[in-house]
């Protein structure tokens, strides 16, 4: 498979006389996957016979072509830094990126990018080594227990803060997002969930509440909208994102802002973190909402998506 893709990528000539369809990258990948399912996830190269031979990590078809994409990213960055003042280079899309897309669509295994690593893989041709070369050793790096994808996500955010390379990160960003979308990682919080995020530093935690507005944007598990701006959440762990403690308990009498011209109406907290089984006229899922409120006058439940004074407060007697 790798040899066929190398020929197709280097010559840019479709080989319809050899494969079903038009002989495109997708046709070549799908043909090999249909003939031998192991072709997608087998090693991209045999184990090195000598210590000086180039090693690939991860040594899979997908790992090899992702690494090739990073080589292009590195070369594009070098070219950009050699530009004369006023010159502009547009972000390019390379054939290697199309190969990565085709492998992912065909079902290539992405698990090697999400497995925690105990040691840094000191290989000549590896995702981590190339990322360190591209960043010049600056920015976030590998720490024990991180996966390749975690390092890629951290580097992506750092790259996007560097104005001189901002214009050539789109391809890398696409790969990070594509790997995440195929990871089958089940995130704990749905879109619209009320959460709190740690926006402090490593030794000083500061928690702010907000609503989940995105999954896997820029390869990050969550994007959360706060009162002012939004933040990325780098990992789906309690030290980064969690359910907040709620101000009102079941049975508490409250009043809620319906935002329908009715102003504040009285009610009672019927449930905290209600599930979808509660009968409500709301158009969205109750999953992730902090409260179900019983409105006696309306004789119905309502789902309250946030726990803020602008939406819910203690009932004034």
């Amino acid at each position: 498979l790798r040899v066929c893709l190398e020929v197709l990528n280097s010559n840019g000539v479709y080989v319809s006389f050899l494969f079903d369809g038009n002989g495109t990258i997708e046709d070549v990948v799908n043909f090999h996957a249909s003939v031998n399912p192991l072709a997608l996830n087998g090693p991209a190269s045999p184990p090195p016979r000598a210590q000086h031979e180039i090693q690939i990590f991860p040594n899979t078809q997908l790992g090899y072509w992702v690494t090739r994409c990073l080589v292009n990213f590195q070369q594009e960055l070098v070219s950009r830094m050699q530009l004369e003042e006023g010159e502009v280079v547009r972000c390019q899309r390379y054939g290697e990126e199309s190969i990565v897309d085709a492998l992912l669509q065909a079902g290539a295994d992405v698990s090697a990018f999400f497995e925690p690593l105990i040691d840094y893989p000191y290989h000549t041709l590896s995702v981590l080594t190339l990322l360190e070369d591209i960043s010049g050793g600056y920015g976030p790096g590998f720490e024990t227990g991180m996966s390749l994808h975690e390092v890629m996500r951290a580097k992506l955010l750092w790259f996007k803060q560097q104005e001189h390379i901002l214009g050539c990160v789109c391809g890398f960003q696409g790969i990070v997002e594509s790997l995440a979308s195929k990871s089958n990682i089940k995130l704990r919080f749905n879109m619209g969930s009320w959460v709190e995020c740690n926006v402090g530093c490593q030794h000083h935690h500061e928690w702010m509440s907000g609503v989940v507005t995105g999954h896997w944007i820029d390869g990050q598990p969550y994007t959360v909208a706060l009162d002012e701006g939004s933040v990325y959440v780098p990992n789906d762990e309690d030290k980064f994102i969690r359910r907040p403690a709620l101000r009102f308990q079941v049975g508490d009498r409250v009043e809620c802002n319906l935002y329908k011209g009715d102003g504040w109406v009285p009610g009672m907290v019927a449930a905290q973190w209600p599930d979808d089984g509660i009968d409500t006229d709301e158009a969205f899922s109750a999953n992730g909402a902090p409260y179900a409120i019983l409105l006696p006058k309306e004789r119905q439940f309502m789902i309250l998506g946030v726990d803020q004074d602008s939406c819910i407060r203690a009932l004034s007697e």
Side-chain angles (χ1 to χ4, degrees), residues 165-244:
I165 63 174
L166 184 58
C168 56
V169 300
C170 54
F172 178 51
Q173 176 176 329
I175 290 172
V176 174
E177 292 177 349
S178 295
L179 289 171
S181 68
K182 298 295 183 179
S183 66
N184 294 322
I185 294 175
K186 177 63 177 175
L187 297 178
R188 294 178 298 158
F189 301 107
N190 292 337
M191 296 280 287
S193 294
W194 180 248
V195 297
E196 63 180 1
C197 306
N198 183 0
V199 297
C201 59
Q202 183 177 2
H203 303 293
H204 176 69
H205 293 180
E206 180 182 350
W207 294 90
M208 296 184 67
S209 298
V211 175
V212 175
T213 57
H215 287 160
W216 300 117
I217 297 175
D218 285 353
Q220 310 302 313
Y222 298 106
T223 304
V224 177
L226 307 174
D227 282 340
E228 297 182 3
S230 61
V231 296
Y232 289 123
V233 177
N235 289 295
D236 189 12
E237 301 174 11
D238 278 344
K239 64 181 180 180
F240 296 107
I241 183 171
R242 65 190 185 190
R243 273 187 170 177

Side-chain angles (χ1 to χ4, degrees), residues 194 209-211 225-228 246-248 255-257 259 264 290-291 304-313:
W194 180 248
S209 298
V211 175
L226 307 174
D227 282 340
E228 297 182 3
L246 300 181
R247 297 179 297 154
F248 301 104
E255 53 184 0
C256 306
N257 191 348
Y259 295 106
W264 292 87
Y291 298 113
L304 205 61
V306 299
D307 185 14
Q308 291 180 321
D309 283 336
S310 59
C311 297
I312 182 173
R313 64 193 183 191

